[in-house]
Amino acid sequence: MDSLPSISVLTCVAQPQSQMSPTGPNGARDKLNVHDLELMMQWCTTTYRSISHNSNVESVWQTAIPREAMQHPALMHSILALSALHLASSSVGDMLERYMKTAKTHKDLALLGSKETFTNIDQSNCDAAFALCSLLTISSLAFPLIAGRSQTNTALDDLCQAFHVARNSMNILAQIADKVRTGELKPLLEKDEWGPKMPDTSRLAIMSLSMTNSKLANRYPKHEREMFEATIGQLGESLEKLAQGKEASIVAFQWMYHIPPRFIDLVHERHPFALVILAHYAVVLHFMRSRWWMGEWGTRIIQQIGRLLDSQWRQSISWVLDATGCYIPPT
């Protein structure tokens, strides 16, 4: 049974603007009020669990991080933004619009406050910075997913933007991990339990990508073989980890962080081989589709890529279609 949020957390959220403490950027009081109680209740009863990758860390997300947020408004806004997105994910009509507007307001305030939080990270604010980076990364996936439910033609650009946020956040996380390990958020950095396994059918697909990379390098002198090989190597490791039962969200975010920046540029440019590789990564996202903040990301990416590729290149994503069951109408 879910425990209720602490009175201190709810009181902090419900305080009128004139009583809010601490202050935000430039000494301005942060605008949290009684209307945000619904969002904090949502967080403390439901949303916290949806981002906890195992039961051992649920209490950290449910109580420790909201308590930390009482001293760091940017973190509080990121919590409320994600809670609003979670509510929006199951809403329609006016309620959907209301929650999305609320989520955007809190997200913008979180981003504004993050500039101050990240200026000087030390032992006093490293936990807040760690949680804030994590939540901003998840929000970067959830926001365009829910806002563009009926759109598939923007999936690639939306995902590239999410990659940008994730890479920046994970760069900060890597810098402060040692500090976080000495505090209350230590369980978030401990070794994961084994989770559901994805069928191990990817090895031949990875070999095929490597062979295609070699053929392209032989055919086109300017083909960026080493960059693509590094990306394929990271993808192979990611798919292997899923087959072993490693936590899928960590696998997904690590790939975003480790791929060469040039690869993201080529996705923006709709380079066909980059799109083929990204379609294979979308299998990881599809595996996580039961999580509300991931949802149909994998399907959206695969379908847009399928429409962009010509018939010859489309043959290179046959494993992707088999692994996910996605359907690409013939052109």
Side-chain angles (χ1 to χ4, degrees), residues 245-258:
K246 296 292 181 67
E247 166 53 34
S249 62
I250 294 176
V251 171
F253 291 134
Q254 284 179 339
W255 191 81
M256 293 182 187
Y257 179 65
H258 288 297

Side-chain angles (χ1 to χ4, degrees), residues 14 26 38 58 65 104 109 113 139 146 149 153 156 158 161 166 211 223 242 255 279 285 316 318 328:
N26 303 319
E38 176 191 17
E58 285 187 355
I65 287 175
K104 185 179 186 307
L109 288 169
S139 293
I146 299 167
R149 284 176 180 169
N153 60 336
L156 286 172
D158 289 343
Q161 180 60 35
M211 290 175 60
H223 179 72
L242 281 188
W255 191 81
L285 306 184
S316 299
S318 57
I328 308 295

Side-chain angles (χ1 to χ4, degrees), residues 7-18:
I7 294 298
S8 59
V9 170
L10 292 180
T11 301
C12 176
V13 176
Q15 282 178 338
Q17 184 179 347
S18 61

Side-chain angles (χ1 to χ4, degrees), residues 12 15 17-32 68-77 109 112-114 116-117:
C12 176
Q15 282 178 338
Q17 184 179 347
S18 61
Q19 298 176 17
M20 271 299 296
S21 178
T23 58
N26 303 319
R29 299 286 181 179
D30 269 28
K31 298 180 180 179
L32 299 177
E68 189 74 20
M70 292 170 63
Q71 303 301 320
H72 300 279
L75 177 55
M76 181 66 79
H77 283 301
L109 288 169
L112 180 64
S114 69
E116 179 178 300
T117 302

